[in-house]
Amino acid sequence: MRAKSAIILDLKFARDNLKQTIQTFFPDREIIDLAEPDNAARDLSGIDYAVVWKPDADLFRRAPDLKVLFSGGAGVDHIMSVEGIPDIPIVRFVDRNLTTRMSEWIVLQCLIHLRRVLPYLEQQKKRVWSEFLQPEASEITVGLMGLGVLGLDAAAKLRALGFTVIGWSRTKKEIEGMETFDATGMNDFLSRTDFLVGLLPLTPETTGLYNHDLFGRLRQGGALGKPVFINAGRGKSQNEADLHIALTDGTLGGASVDVFAVEPLPEASPLWGLDNLVITPHAAAPSEPVALFQLMQEQIGRFERGETLQFTVNTAAGY
Ligand SMILES: NC(=O)c1ccc[n+]([C@@H]2O[C@H](COP(=O)([O-])OP(=O)(O)OC[C@H]3O[C@@H](n4cnc5c(N)ncnc54)[C@H](OP(=O)(O)O)[C@@H]3O)[C@@H](O)[C@H]2O)c1
């Protein structure tokens, strides 16, 4: 009987003990950690599995026999942008904990803008006691771009708080009690949206999508006066120069952004200086290694029993 295939570990996460942690899920397999200098020139042929985050450009040439590739995160743009991706299943990281944390972040940002937390903090610094207009959640329409695993969970939680939620996705969705749009309905969708929430994957179609023209098509004169932009999908979907202009010329009243074209966001970025923008360091929903390795254990078990893999990427669509 063939020995169980080793697993290539190529995760560039800043976490301790990744190798020891994955080893506990696969005690009878060798774990080849590409972060170890001894593995830099190692022959990786004959290995079936790899788990990667921003894989090295030469990984697929060095490991020509991979049968299943695991993404260290929910997004796969870090893989799709590498040349020579083999024609094998790519399993995304889909996890209850990650989904819950993303919804927490989205709900938090919507409430921050609804309840005027940024201007209140400014007032507090100046010891000013003065109340702002604060509409109820139901007066705000949140337009969710992306109705996948994360978008659907966020939609349910926003609706539970009373927000009016509408959604936009590549293929039209039927969701009870929620109006949805596909690509052809974009204008309609944007013109009804007060808070635009981005939970889209990065693909050629979504690159640079959030630009000044799009911000200008959001509803002006809603319950808070000006629209708000909230993005936790991918930074390259937003034009950051346009975002800066929209936040300073009054096209947008505020924004919350977790993802940027260049991460870490360079110190010189003018976005840091805006008092109507919340910046978080790609921390909305970090991947939890234990859950990631548990998912791999389940999926490798399925694969080796000849069962269908779950959470696979539609490589033609790019996500
Ligand atoms: N900031 C963070 O910490 C963090 C953490 C995890 C994930 N993310 C990001 O969140 C993204 C979404 O994750 P997910 O698990 O929800 O993905 P998913 O389940 O694959 O859902 C993606 C959604 O986007 C829609 N979509 C894709 N391309 C589109 C296009 N060109 N036009 C319109 N809609 C389009 C899809 O439409 P269909 O329904 O028609 O397929 C789907 O509704 C990830 O790709 C990743 O980039 C960020």
Side-chain angles (χ1 to χ4, degrees), residues 74-75 77 92 98 102 146-151 168-171 173 199-203 205-206 232-234 258-259 282-286 319:
D77 47 292
R92 284 191 327 118
L98 183 148
M102 178 59 85
L147 295 175
V149 175
L150 302 181
W168 186 82
S169 52
R170 193 169 59 89
T171 53
K173 299 276 171 301
L199 276 174
L200 289 170
L202 183 70
T203 67
E205 289 75 37
T206 64
R234 279 292 179 265
D258 183 56
V259 285
H282 201 143
Y319 63 94

Side-chain angles (χ1 to χ4, degrees), residues 57-215:
D58 63 353
L59 176 69
F60 302 127
R61 188 183 47 73
R62 289 181 64 201
D65 302 312
L66 290 176
K67 292 193 172 64
V68 183
L69 190 60
F70 292 89
S71 169
V76 291
D77 47 292
H78 64 105
I79 297 175
M80 304 310 278
S81 57
V82 176
E83 267 186 44
I85 313 169
D87 184 17
I88 57 170
I90 302 173
V91 176
R92 284 191 327 118
F93 183 38
V94 174
D95 172 49
R96 184 204 57 80
N97 172 290
L98 183 148
T99 304
T100 302
R101 299 220 237 168
M102 178 59 85
S103 292
E104 287 170 1
W105 188 89
I106 299 288
V107 166
L108 172 69
Q109 303 311 321
C110 287
L111 289 175
I112 281 177
H113 294 285
L114 176 75
R115 301 310 302 261
R116 316 298 301 268
V117 172
L118 297 180
Y120 277 132
L121 286 174
E122 283 306 309
Q123 284 196 159
Q124 186 178 333
K125 283 185 212 153
K126 298 177 194 142
R127 302 173 182 237
V128 173
W129 180 281
S130 168
E131 197 178 331
F132 292 114
L133 165 80
Q134 293 176 122
E136 189 186 329
S138 63
E139 295 171 62
I140 298 292
T141 298
V142 179
L144 261 171
M145 287 185 119
L147 295 175
V149 175
L150 302 181
L152 288 177
D153 193 71
K157 287 168 183 166
L158 289 166
R159 288 172 67 190
L161 277 172
F163 285 100
T164 304
V165 182
I166 61 176
W168 186 82
S169 52
R170 193 169 59 89
T171 53
K172 178 99 167 88
K173 299 276 171 301
E174 295 301 331
I175 302 166
E176 209 191 317
M178 184 173 147
E179 200 172 348
T180 57
F181 301 80
D182 62 12
T184 58
M186 188 163 184
N187 267 335
D188 223 7
F189 167 81
L190 293 174
S191 66
R192 306 246 313 266
T193 293
D194 300 307
F195 288 8
L196 182 71
V197 172
L199 276 174
L200 289 170
L202 183 70
T203 67
E205 289 75 37
T206 64
T207 301
L209 179 72
Y210 309 120
N211 58 21
H212 199 275
D213 171 62
L214 180 142
F215 298 138

